[in-house]
Amino acid sequence: MKMNLKFDYNFICKTILQEQLGALNLEYKIHSLSEVEFKKKPTETELQYVTQALEKYGITIIVDQQSALVQRIKELITELINDTEKSRKYNASDYLSEKLNYSYAHLSSVFSETTYSSIENFIILKKIDLAKELIIHKNYTLTEIAHELNYSSVAHLSAQFKKTTGLTPSAFQRIINKRKKNE
């Protein structure tokens, strides 16, 4: 028997943080998935414990400020793309600038220097990932997906999908439908 799963990464990460930080009785506040503030500075021993406890879940503590900013940018882009009402209201550059209190030029520069890719490319990748999720789990039509992800047309969505995955959305849908029939 095969079971398909969908994960709520935000919930999982928050739960892990709460469990591991709570085990130390540290007073903290989770500002976002990539930012935790401690009420008082943890001891070196407590930091080592937290580091080891989180690493077994694939969570690493970021010491470098640029990397932390890039992680926050990625998190905000994911949040924006997953909230279709918000993504219709804001363009990504304004949203990031407003949330992070930096100019978009600065954010774009830091992102590119750290990841060797652009914010725009990351946005496209996240949109295509969401498009695949909508095809797999919701059986949305391409028109519905284009509308949901704020594409100007189905042709624009299809072009980005093919460039990113090597498949047209229609070919991807056929593969998924064939898999579902064979289960």
Side-chain angles (χ1 to χ4, degrees):
M1 180 187 124
K2 190 191 300 186
M3 183 183 333
N4 295 312
L5 305 170
K6 183 177 179 190
F7 297 95
D8 182 340
Y9 294 104
N10 291 344
F11 177 77
I12 292 168
C13 289
K14 283 184 180 177
T15 302
I16 291 169
L17 287 172
Q18 290 167 344
E19 287 175 359
Q20 297 305 315
L21 297 176
L24 278 175
N25 293 322
L26 295 172
E27 289 188 51
Y28 64 92
K29 181 178 181 184
I30 299 174
H31 291 288
S32 67
L33 289 182
S34 61
E35 188 175 84
V36 176
E37 179 183 357
F38 293 100
K39 302 280 186 203
K40 69 175 193 169
K41 187 176 180 182
T43 66
E44 196 61 40
T45 305
E46 289 170 330
L47 272 178
Q48 286 177 346
Y49 174 81
V50 169
T51 300
Q52 289 173 348
L54 295 179
E55 279 179 348
K56 67 182 174 187
Y57 296 101
I59 301 170
T60 54
I61 296 173
I62 301 171
V63 179
D64 173 34
Q65 290 302 310
Q66 280 194 319
S67 296
L69 181 58
V70 167
Q71 186 61 37
R72 186 74 177 120
I73 291 168
K74 288 179 176 181
E75 185 180 297
L76 286 169
I77 289 169
T78 302
E79 175 186 298
L80 180 65
I81 289 169
N82 288 333
D83 185 338
T84 53
E85 283 185 34
K86 197 182 286 182
S87 66
R88 283 191 185 85
K89 198 161 72 170
Y90 291 97
N91 70 32
S93 58
D94 291 340
Y95 184 72
L96 292 171
S97 295
E98 182 181 307
K99 289 288 189 180
L100 298 171
N101 295 318
Y102 288 106
S103 72
Y104 183 73
H106 174 73
L107 295 173
S108 181
S109 174
V110 169
F111 192 92
S112 297
E113 287 172 15
T114 305
T115 66
Y116 307 109
S117 185
S118 67
I119 289 175
E120 291 76 16
N121 191 50
F122 184 75
I123 291 169
I124 291 167
L125 292 173
K126 295 307 285 185
K127 280 183 158 186
I128 298 305
D129 281 347
L130 184 54
K132 290 190 282 188
E133 288 290 318
L134 294 173
I135 290 169
I136 293 168
H137 298 292
K138 304 261 183 167
N139 287 330
Y140 277 30
T141 66
L142 295 180
T143 303
E144 291 170 324
I145 294 169
H147 176 74
E148 189 80 10
L149 298 179
N150 212 20
Y151 277 95
S152 57
S153 66
V154 172
H156 186 210
L157 165 64
S158 295
Q160 281 192 342
F161 196 100
K162 181 160 174 63
K163 186 177 178 185
T164 303
T165 66
L167 296 168
T168 64
S170 300
F172 183 80
Q173 276 180 320
R174 281 193 299 276
I175 291 168
I176 295 304
N177 289 336
K178 192 174 185 179
R179 279 189 190 165
K180 285 180 180 177
K181 286 178 186 171
N182 291 331
E183 290 179 354

